[in-house]
Amino acid sequence: MFGLAIHGGAGSLPRAEMSDELEQRYRAGLARALAAGYAVLQDGGTSLDAVTRAVTLLEDEPLFNAGHGAVFTLDGRNELDSSIMEGGTLQAGAVCGVTRIKNPVLLAREVMEQSEYVMLSGAGAEEFAASRGFQFVPQSYFHTDARWQQLQRIRSGDVSLSALTISHIGTVGAVARDARGQLAAATSTGGMTGKTFGRIGDSPIIGAGTYADNRSCAISATGHGEAFIRAAVAHDIGARMRYGGRSLAQAVSEVVLTELPPLDGEGGVIAIDRDGEIVMEFNSEGMFRASHRAGSSPQIHIYRG
Ligand code: ASP
C-alpha cells in the first residue's frame, strides 16, 4: 500500500483574504505537486524520491512559503530552511539559513547522502552546495510582490495579520510510504515573516519539523516553529506509537490537539504510518493539504470538513 501526503502550511487563514480565485490557485498548486510525487510511487520509485519531487514542486510554486515565494526577514532578505529523512536507515539531512539555493530540499538531501553531517547552516551550507556543483540563484529569484507587501504590513505594525499567521500559510512538506514499505518525510520553509537574528524554526530540525522511522511513521509539520521545537513534535508522535502503542491517529491527535495548544503551538502535521494510513491534523483554522493512497482518489482540502 503506497501513498503520499503533502502540505502547504497551516494557520488562521483570514477568509476575507482568500478569494475563490486564490483558493483555486492554491488547490492547483497542491494538485500538481501531489500528482508529481504520486507518479514517482506509481512507477515503483522510492518514498524518498516521491517526497523530494513533491517538495521541489511546492518550492517552485510562488504561492507557498518555500523556495520562490518565501517570506522575508525584517531586513528584506530570504533565508530558507529544509530537512529530509529516510525511515529505514534513519538517515537525515538538513540546511538552514541558506539564501541562494533554488531548491533547499535538494541541498538537504545532498547533505544526507553526500556528507558526513546531518545539518549545515548559512555560508557553510552554500560552500558545500558549491562543492557539489549546485547552481546558485540571486536573492531576487525568491521575491514575490505578495510576500513583500506582507513584510511592509508587519513593518508598519499592522496587527490585523500576525507575522506567524502569514508565514504559516505556505511552509511545505511531504510524507510517503512506497510499495516496499519505506517511509520518508521532507519539509521546506522560508520561516517566519519579519524574522531577525538568524532565527531558525522547526522545519530543518530533525525530530521537530520532520521525522521518519519505518517502525512508526513519517511526519512533516507546519506551524509556530518555537512551540514545535519545544514539543519535539515529529519525534514525539512516532515515540507515542513505538513506546505507547498508540495508533497514528491517536498519537497525532494527542500531540497536535493536546500538547501544542498550551504552548501556543498553532499549526498541524501530515503523517503516514508503516501500513500506509494517512492522518492530516491541525489545531488552526485551516491547513493546505492533499493526499493520495493507492486504490483511492486524490484528496485536496484547506479548511475543515
Ligand atoms: N514552522 C515554520 C517555522 O517556524 C513556519 C510554518 O510552518 O509556518 O519556521
Side-chain angles (χ1 to χ4, degrees):
M1 169 61 75
F2 58 88
L4 170 76
I6 64 173
H7 72 78
S12 303
L13 319 182
R15 278 195 192 241
E17 304 201 7
M18 177 64 82
S19 64
D20 286 349
E21 191 257 325
L22 188 58
E23 184 170 332
Q24 288 317 315
R25 285 173 55 208
Y26 274 112
R27 285 179 178 274
L30 288 169
R32 273 193 297 275
L34 186 70
Y38 189 78
V40 171
L41 297 174
Q42 213 165 21
D43 292 346
T46 65
S47 54
L48 198 60
D49 284 343
V51 299
T52 304
R53 182 89 188 106
V55 169
T56 302
L57 261 78
L58 291 165
E59 287 177 336
D60 290 346
E61 168 58 63
L63 284 174
F64 298 110
N65 173 19
H68 180 40
V71 299
F72 287 92
T73 62
L74 195 63
D75 59 3
R77 293 158 48 79
N78 305 100
E79 296 176 356
L80 312 171
D81 309 326
S82 182
S83 62
I84 190 164
M85 185 162 184
E86 205 265 332
T89 56
L90 302 186
Q91 284 202 79
V95 291
C96 61
V98 295
T99 58
R100 294 180 297 155
I101 303 297
K102 178 171 178 276
N103 291 107
V105 72
L106 297 181
L107 185 56
R109 184 158 171 184
E110 194 79 0
V111 171
M112 174 173 105
E113 294 179 333
Q114 304 296 341
S115 85
E116 59 190 295
Y117 305 120
V118 168
M119 188 175 198
L120 300 181
S121 72
E126 291 180 354
E127 200 182 317
F128 171 71
S131 78
R132 299 296 311 168
F134 271 66
Q135 290 213 330
F136 285 59
V137 292
Q139 275 266 294
S140 58
Y141 167 78
F142 302 108
H143 180 101
T144 55
D145 286 340
R147 295 298 185 190
W148 186 252
Q149 292 315 322
Q150 289 169 352
L151 176 64
Q152 303 320 311
R153 287 173 69 175
I154 295 295
R155 280 175 168 170
S156 70
D158 180 347
V159 290
S160 65
L161 207 53
S162 81
L164 274 171
T165 296
I166 58 184
S167 318
H168 289 347
I169 303 169
T171 286
V172 305
V175 294
R177 178 196 192 276
D178 61 32
R180 286 171 296 278
Q182 295 292 329
L183 301 182
T187 310
S188 185
T189 190
M192 194 195 298
T193 302
K195 63 186 179 181
T196 53
F197 304 122
R199 177 266 185 192
I200 305 291
D202 61 311
S203 305
I205 297 184
I206 298 301
T210 302
Y211 206 73
D213 183 341
N214 283 359
R215 295 168 294 184
S216 53
C217 61
I219 304 282
S220 171
T222 170
H224 187 168
E226 281 66 15
F228 280 59
I229 293 171
R230 289 158 61 210
V233 164
H235 186 268
D236 190 23
I237 291 170
R240 282 166 196 263
M241 295 177 72
R242 278 187 64 206
Y243 317 146
R246 305 290 199 279
S247 68
L248 181 69
Q250 286 169 333
V252 165
S253 145
E254 286 173 7
V255 172
V256 174
L257 304 181
T258 308
E259 298 291 331
L260 280 170
L263 302 176
D264 291 328
E266 186 188 40
V269 305
I270 54 171
I272 190 165
D273 72 11
R274 55 188 176 193
D275 301 320
E277 265 328 298
I278 291 175
V279 174
M280 302 188 281
E281 185 58 274
F282 49 99
N283 59 34
S284 47
E285 189 184 345
M287 179 167 77
F288 294 98
R289 61 201 189 278
S291 63
H292 195 173
R293 292 181 78 197
S296 62
S297 52
Q299 307 279 324
I300 301 179
H301 299 287
I302 299 178
Y303 298 103
R304 264 186 207 288

